[in-house]
Amino acid sequence: MDYWRWTESVWKDPDAPDWRGGTVTAGVDIGSTSTQAVILLDGKLYAYANMRTGSNSPDSALDAMNRAMEGTGLTLEDLRFTVGTGYGRVNVPFADKSVTEITCHARGAHYLYGPTVRTILDMGGQDCKAIGCDAKGAVTSFMMNDKCAAGTGRGMEVIANLLAVPVEDIGPFSLSIEEEPEPVSSICVIFAKTAATNLMRVGWSREKVLAAYCLAMAIRVVRLLERNGVEEDFAITGGIAKNAGVARRIERLLGITALKTDLDTQIAGALGGALIAGDLLKKRQA
Amino acid sequence: MTENGASFETGIFNESIETWKKEGKKTIGTICCHVPEEIIHAAGMLPIRIRATGCTDDSNAEVWMSSFSCSFARSCLQLFLDGTYGFLDGIVGSDGCLMAQRLFDNLNNQFRDLYQRLVVVPRMHTARAIPFYREELEKFRTDMEKISGVAITEEKLLHSIEVYNETRRLIRELYDLRKGAAPLVSGEESLKITLAAMSMPKEQFNKALSGFLREAAKREPPKGGGVRLMLVGSTLDDPEYVRIVEEKGGFIVTDVQCYGSRYLWEPTVLGDGDALDSLARSYLARPVCPRMCNMHSELYDFIMGMAKDFSVDGVLYVKMKNCDLWGGESVHIDDKLKAAKMPLLTVEREEIMTNVGQLAVRAEAFIEMIEGGVS
């Protein structure tokens, strides 16, 4: 069984009016692990799709966009302006412009969590970013982790497979322990695997090992956040935001509760891209 | 080739060095910019600043300098081990930082037949430190006389100071071309030129730069604005690195690093003493890097002065991995720059460039941030 497989999602606004006659803009975020396509109608969220990134970035972008457009009657020609973002941002064949994921995440988080958000932690597939932003969702400071997938979504997928726990259950599993253990000594994906195996061997339960791993990951990203500066309100975006085992521990370490959203936290980058696409379209028309 | 027929030589080993060697003249490698090259020049030898530009593999050097050492120093050692620096007749190092010294120690250990001297440079700029440094320079001069067979007279030294001051003046003129709203010279081009200054005879370089300056002044300014960035930090001898940042829409308009402005900038001022005394005083007074224990505020003032003179929009602070000096200094400078509301991007780098994508995304996001978002 592929324990690492997380659930892809597709969403459409059930109450949205017909897009014909409105202005449709889009954002596509090609990450190392997941790809999102977000469609806005007159600046409001209309549809999105969140898929796993395949081996080919242009195909992944197209797949995600096709899923988001499915059943709406939209075609690529109807997208008035599209922004590509994420590490594959220059590989979105139908994009009008590419913008970095840092700028897009801040803007997307501003939409998802409201204008009070000042600190964003994006925990992606292979990197994490601490971002400071202003009331308009413009970046004021940022910091990224360096050259390593430790403490990111990919690391979590590896641990899921190793311990045979579905990746989406890791959070609840890791929180179901009576007493918080010490964090694993290293969150390097390779060393963490060794550490987890050793802990299992000395009799630790899977829950306890997962707690130790989630805690180590939380400590690592909190350091990154603190280096960049933490100001309330605070929000977490990206796939790991869905992992309560990490998210709750980050909140505990910071002493701050993160803002919540009912929407998929992984769409922040693509959503920001779509919002920026709207601004750029207006600028072009002016 | 510039309009007066002279051209820049940017390679570590290049045509001008080849010609120099063919004439039977000697070349001396220098480590760190606290070695006054004027003394080598006055002896009729060619000073070549050691660097590792373009190094792509440091595996031989890693045997001697672990992966926890400075990758710049390690890459320099690699280029000695693979024979790139085989054209040198001697090496003069300084204890600029621990890693510069470790590089020197390793060279000392492995190239025993090569002439080598370590100039000890005080870490304090005080009245007491100057005579000590002068004494070090005196020993250095004696050695240079011995290996060149040329007496370094006061007259010769004063002439060398004049040549070097001319290089400094020209380099500052080069930087002046980057002061305007549309810089006429890119950061990448400027770095290539200062690297050439370290890799060819100064007279030839001065001629090439004079010609270049005349040509560049007539250039069509680049269209469209760009974010004006200043590069601050550890040694950066790789124009490719600067190019990656500039490709993202920024202009590196100035820098505070020792392969750029910190190489030859402040003129040697002739004082009441002799030429050696003037060299000691002038070299020690420069705010070059955080190695100087009592010059942190001067260094900060220099950085902020540069920011003002070049209308800088943001600072790109580049720390070499495991760099004690600039790594440690960033803790203080970060806060000061933030307090001065100067946008700051701190990145870590290794001499062998492997993280191009990571640098590019950070630089691009930083530029977008300074521009206040894309829209």
Side-chain angles (χ1 to χ4, degrees):
Chain A
M1 186 179 164
D2 291 332
Y3 294 98
W4 60 270
R5 275 189 187 275
W6 43 272
T7 313
E8 296 178 328
S9 69
V10 179
W11 179 92
K12 283 176 190 67
D13 181 358
D15 306 321
D18 190 86
W19 57 267
R20 291 165 191 85
T23 304
V24 180
T25 61
V28 181
D29 180 358
I30 307 185
S32 62
T33 309
S34 66
T35 296
Q36 296 79 28
V38 169
I39 301 169
L40 301 183
L41 175 59
D42 296 325
K44 290 205 174 67
L45 195 56
Y46 178 74
Y48 66 73
N50 173 20
M51 324 288 293
R52 277 183 285 279
T53 299
S55 55
N56 176 306
S57 294
D59 288 353
S60 298
L62 203 56
D63 284 351
M65 188 52 82
N66 282 336
R67 289 296 301 276
M69 294 191 302
E70 218 168 68
T72 63
L74 278 165
T75 64
L76 288 179
E77 284 71 41
D78 300 312
L79 308 176
R80 299 285 304 282
F81 204 107
T82 303
V83 162
T85 187
Y87 97 103
R89 63 190 174 283
V90 293
N91 290 320
V92 182
F94 48 93
D96 298 283
K97 186 172 173 62
S98 77
V99 176
T100 64
E101 53 270 39
I102 293 156
T103 303
C104 288
H105 266 279
R107 190 65 190 278
H110 176 263
Y111 183 102
L112 283 177
Y113 300 100
T116 57
V117 67
R118 289 292 173 277
T119 305
I120 301 148
L121 173 67
D122 172 51
M123 298 190 68
Q126 285 194 12
D127 69 25
C128 44
K129 315 165 193 73
I131 306 170
C133 72
D134 64 15
K136 290 179 180 167
V139 178
T140 51
S141 63
F142 70 91
M143 204 168 264
M144 294 171 82
N145 67 321
D146 278 322
K147 299 181 201 115
C148 176
T152 62
R154 182 65 197 130
M156 199 54 91
E157 289 181 359
V158 170
I159 291 297
N161 263 6
L162 179 75
L163 299 183
V165 177
V167 74
E168 282 152 357
D169 293 340
I170 286 180
F173 263 56
S174 79
L175 292 171
S176 68
I177 45 150
E178 282 175 13
E179 197 185 336
E180 188 82 341
E182 286 292 307
V184 290
S185 56
S186 168
I187 49 162
C188 160
V189 177
I190 307 297
F191 290 132
K193 270 179 86 171
T194 314
T197 311
N198 286 340
L199 291 172
M200 293 291 283
R201 207 170 284 154
V202 296
W204 279 35
S205 65
R206 283 192 303 187
E207 289 79 356
K208 199 172 167 188
V209 174
L210 288 171
Y213 185 72
C214 291
L215 179 59
M217 194 185 268
I219 290 170
R220 184 177 201 251
V221 296
V222 163
R223 278 192 206 126
L224 183 78
L225 275 167
E226 285 176 341
R227 268 163 59 202
N228 198 51
V230 181
E231 197 184 331
E232 291 188 73
D233 288 346
F234 166 64
I236 310 176
T237 62
I240 299 283
K242 299 174 189 171
N243 182 325
V246 179
R248 292 298 85 74
R249 287 180 172 90
I250 292 171
E251 290 177 337
R252 199 189 304 152
L253 290 166
L254 286 176
I256 296 174
T257 305
L259 297 174
K260 302 289 179 293
T261 176
D262 293 333
L263 297 165
D264 191 329
T265 54
Q266 285 178 268
I267 65 163
L271 173 59
L275 289 161
I276 291 168
D279 294 346
L280 292 171
L281 181 66
K282 274 185 205 150
K283 207 168 156 187
R284 187 198 271 173
Q285 289 166 338
Chain B
M1 180 112 37
T2 55
E3 66 177 21
N4 55 13
S7 53
F8 295 119
E9 302 276 7
T10 53
I12 290 178
F13 183 69
N14 57 56
E15 220 172 281
S16 68
I17 300 174
E18 205 177 343
T19 310
W20 183 273
K21 295 287 289 179
K22 274 185 189 156
E23 289 167 1
K25 294 188 281 189
K26 289 183 173 165
T27 53
I28 302 289
T30 63
I31 301 169
C32 178
C33 59
H34 280 89
V35 176
E37 290 182 10
E38 287 90 335
I39 296 171
I40 302 168
H41 181 269
M45 298 189 289
L46 177 61
I48 298 291
R49 176 92 180 269
I50 300 302
R51 56 189 167 104
T53 314
C55 180
T56 52
D57 172 26
D58 62 2
S59 47
N60 296 341
E62 204 174 344
V63 175
W64 304 95
M65 294 181 82
S66 80
S67 53
F68 294 102
S69 60
C70 161
S71 72
F72 171 75
R74 195 166 61 239
S75 299
C76 288
L77 177 61
Q78 175 72 28
L79 298 191
F80 274 92
L81 295 174
D82 72 13
T84 303
Y85 281 112
F87 62 90
L88 292 176
D89 298 290
I91 301 157
V92 181
S94 95
D95 54 348
C97 65
L98 282 179
M99 288 298 157
Q101 205 168 336
R102 288 296 85 77
L103 168 62
F104 183 82
D105 293 344
N106 273 288
L107 296 177
N108 220 287
N109 185 39
Q110 303 202 37
F111 297 89
R112 294 180 185 212
D113 296 335
L114 194 65
Y115 162 79
Q116 290 175 55
R117 159 164 287 282
L118 186 79
V119 176
V120 178
V121 184
R123 284 177 182 264
M124 296 283 276
H125 178 228
T126 60
R128 282 176 65 199
I130 293 165
F132 175 87
Y133 186 34
R134 191 198 178 286
E135 211 175 299
E136 281 293 304
L137 298 186
E138 187 72 66
K139 291 181 214 159
F140 170 30
R141 173 164 75 175
T142 308
D143 265 20
M144 291 298 103
E145 287 179 329
K146 271 186 206 156
I147 65 164
S148 66
V150 172
I152 303 177
T153 61
E154 182 72 2
E155 196 188 349
K156 279 189 177 148
L157 207 44
L158 285 171
H159 169 69
S160 298
I161 289 173
E162 203 180 310
V163 172
Y164 270 72
N165 276 349
E166 175 65 0
T167 309
R168 293 180 174 101
R169 189 187 66 74
L170 291 168
I171 288 177
R172 288 174 83 138
E173 260 189 49
L174 169 70
Y175 275 63
D176 283 347
L177 292 178
R178 302 156 73 191
K179 272 185 179 166
L184 296 176
V185 177
S186 70
E188 181 195 2
E189 199 173 15
S190 176
L191 181 56
K192 280 182 181 166
I193 294 172
T194 49
L195 290 178
M198 303 166 194
S199 317
M200 60 193 285
K202 287 290 178 295
E203 289 81 355
Q204 201 180 322
F205 173 79
N206 288 354
K207 193 178 168 197
L209 185 50
S210 304
F212 174 84
L213 291 173
R214 277 198 296 276
E215 279 172 18
K218 293 179 215 153
R219 282 180 178 177
E220 196 66 37
K223 287 192 177 73
V227 168
R228 302 171 66 85
L229 301 174
M230 169 165 61
L231 209 144
V232 176
S234 313
T235 55
L236 204 164
D237 62 346
D238 193 348
E240 180 74 8
Y241 194 90
V242 177
R243 187 181 61 80
I244 291 164
V245 177
E246 293 194 314
E247 269 181 1
K248 295 296 166 195
F251 289 120
I252 303 278
V253 290
T254 189
D255 66 79
V256 179
Q257 67 102 0
C258 67
Y259 281 77
S261 78
R262 301 293 67 223
Y263 171 52
L264 292 175
W265 190 266
E266 294 87 350
T268 298
V269 180
L270 298 178
D272 298 334
D274 61 4
L276 219 50
D277 187 71
S278 300
L279 282 173
R281 285 178 191 281
S282 298
Y283 266 78
L284 210 56
R286 301 166 309 146
V288 175
C289 84
R291 80 174 293 281
M292 299 301 288
C293 296
N294 64 343
M295 292 183 76
H296 294 275
S297 56
E298 281 93 334
L299 182 61
Y300 172 71
D301 290 346
F302 185 81
I303 291 170
M304 293 315 282
M306 274 287 207
K308 191 169 170 248
D309 291 350
F310 287 83
S311 316
V312 165
D313 298 319
V315 169
L316 179 63
Y317 192 101
V318 183
K319 297 191 275 195
M320 181 65 73
K321 197 171 181 187
N322 303 318
C323 177
D324 290 346
L325 297 177
W326 286 101
E329 193 67 14
S330 81
V331 177
H332 305 292
I333 287 192
D334 275 18
D335 290 344
K336 286 180 172 174
L337 290 176
K338 276 179 195 158
K341 300 208 181 313
M342 174 61 76
L344 168 71
L345 174 66
T346 303
V347 285
E348 202 173 58
R349 116 179 164 94
E350 290 198 61
E351 184 62 19
I352 296 174
M353 207 152 56
T354 52
N355 53 344
V356 174
Q358 291 199 333
L359 169 67
V361 72
R362 283 160 175 77
E364 195 173 346
F366 187 51
I367 290 164
E368 287 171 358
M369 182 185 102
I370 292 172
E371 285 172 335
V374 175
S375 35

